[in-house]
């Protein structure tokens, strides 16, 4: 065990001392195994500066307790610098009452308060400072990790004006809100111009809750969360 620990420490020390080597740097550790080689990655394999990209994704929404919400996401952008870019996006939602909604309806004989999203769109600045690689099943996947911050518009509908009156059938009225949006995204490069994205997007906005005794409730800060899996192309 002591020999293994010392060998591991020497490997880590040796690799750490050579962290400024290029992608083609190669070290042979013949004293470990004649067939083993260690590569040190530093330079980026997939450059982003002055490139356009377009992504098409499937989203799952985690906002409403009473809705199963899925949808499609489309986004495109341009990297002005290797670390900085601009992006626009559009999300389309599809909603369905879930078991929680049915349970409340069956037990209480009334609909719960629901705000469901129809679409959202916006623009943001993207910062992509991190990159790296993962070796899985003897195949190396390169990835970029980015963050975004911007503004968006949310188109939704809710039953807040009718849900407080059990004598009325719950109906949905259209709503629209301005929002602040942020995201984090990990992009895996499958090929030179093809990538797979995993993204968490969150939008923050102010909106009222359900009416109480016919009186409109105050606006409070709320959020909308989407998990997006996408396939994209860059050029």
């Amino acid at each position: 065990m002591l020999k293994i620990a010392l060998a591991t420490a020497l490997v880590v020390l040796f690799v750490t001392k050579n962290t400024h080597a290029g992608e083609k740097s190669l070290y042979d550790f013949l004293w470990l195994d004649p067939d083993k080689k260690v590569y040190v990655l530093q330079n980026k394999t997939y450059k982003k500066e002055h490139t356009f990209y377009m992504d098409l994704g499937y989203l799952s929404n985690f906002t409403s307790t009473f809705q199963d919400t899925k949808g499609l996401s489309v986004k495109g952008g341009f990297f002005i610098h290797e670390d900085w870019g601009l992006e626009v996006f559009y999300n389309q939602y599809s909603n369905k009452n879930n078991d929680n909604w049915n349970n409340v309806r069956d037990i209480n004989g009334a609909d719960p308060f629901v705000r469901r999203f129809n679409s959202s769109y916006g623009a943001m600045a993207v910062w992509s400072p991190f990159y790296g690689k993962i070796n899985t099943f003897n195949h190396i996947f390169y990835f970029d990790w980015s963050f975004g911050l911007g503004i968006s518009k949310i188109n939704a509908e809710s039953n807040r004006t009718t849900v407080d009156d059990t004598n009325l059938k719950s109906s949905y009225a259209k709503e629209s809100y301005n929002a602040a949006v942020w995201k984090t995204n990990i992009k895996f490069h499958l090929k030179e111009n093809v990538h797979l994205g995993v993204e968490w997007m969150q939008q923050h906005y102010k909106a009222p809750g359900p009416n109480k005794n016919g009186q409109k409730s105050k606006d409070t800060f709320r959020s909308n969360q989407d998990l997006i899996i996408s396939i994209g192309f860059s050029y």
Side-chain angles (χ1 to χ4, degrees):
M1 292 296 294
L2 180 59
K3 291 182 179 180
I4 295 176
L6 289 174
T8 303
L10 287 173
V11 171
V12 173
L13 179 61
F14 192 86
V15 173
T16 303
K17 290 178 65 177
N18 290 277
T19 54
H20 295 288
E23 288 174 344
K24 297 182 179 180
S25 299
L26 170 64
Y27 302 100
D28 294 315
F29 292 96
L30 299 180
W31 51 275
L32 287 176
D33 188 332
D35 296 326
K36 296 297 182 183
K37 297 178 180 180
V38 176
Y39 291 86
V40 177
L41 170 70
Q42 274 299 310
N43 297 326
K44 286 188 178 181
T45 300
Y46 299 99
K47 301 291 186 179
K48 300 190 297 296
E49 187 173 12
H50 298 158
T51 60
F52 290 92
Y53 63 90
M54 180 69 68
D55 291 6
L56 177 63
Y58 169 83
L59 69 81
S60 181
N61 184 269
F62 292 86
T63 301
S64 178
T65 305
F66 302 105
Q67 298 288 294
D68 287 334
T69 303
K70 313 295 181 183
L72 294 176
S73 174
V74 179
K75 62 175 178 283
F78 176 74
F79 272 94
I80 304 170
H81 182 268
E82 187 62 30
D83 294 339
W84 289 95
L86 298 174
E87 180 179 290
V88 294
F89 70 90
Y90 177 82
N91 296 333
Q92 182 72 41
Y93 301 94
S94 175
N95 303 279
K96 180 182 179 182
N97 296 336
N98 60 20
D99 289 341
N100 292 331
W101 189 96
N102 293 327
N103 291 335
V104 170
R105 180 66 184 175
D106 292 342
I107 295 173
N108 297 330
D111 294 348
F113 167 63
V114 172
R115 173 171 285 114
R116 55 196 186 193
F117 299 90
N118 296 322
S119 65
S120 66
Y121 58 91
M124 65 180 73
V126 177
W127 179 44
S128 181
F130 304 115
Y131 66 95
K133 67 176 181 178
I134 298 175
N135 189 347
T136 305
F137 301 111
N138 293 324
H139 187 84
I140 295 176
F141 293 96
Y142 297 86
F143 68 90
D144 289 290
W145 184 12
S146 64
F147 305 87
L149 181 65
I151 57 174
S152 65
K153 189 80 170 182
I154 296 174
N155 295 316
E157 58 186 13
S158 78
N159 59 353
R160 66 180 182 83
T161 60
T162 58
V163 72
D164 66 326
D165 191 342
T166 57
N167 296 318
L168 295 176
K169 182 179 179 181
S170 186
S171 63
Y172 289 83
K174 293 186 180 299
E175 303 172 343
S176 181
Y177 302 102
N178 297 317
V181 57
W182 65 268
K183 72 167 188 174
T184 181
N185 175 282
I186 296 180
K187 183 183 296 183
F188 296 93
H189 298 277
L190 304 181
K191 294 182 179 180
E192 183 176 358
N193 300 112
V194 182
H195 54 264
L196 176 69
V198 180
E199 178 172 301
W200 178 262
M201 177 182 289
Q202 190 153 329
Q203 301 177 73
H204 300 273
Y205 63 100
K206 289 186 70 175
N211 288 358
K212 297 179 181 179
N213 299 321
Q215 299 296 318
K216 180 181 177 180
S217 63
K218 294 182 179 179
D219 289 353
T220 58
F221 280 103
R222 305 175 187 273
S223 62
N224 178 44
Q225 301 95 24
D226 296 318
L227 176 64
I228 304 172
I229 308 296
S230 62
I231 186 74
F233 306 89
S234 59
Y235 56 93

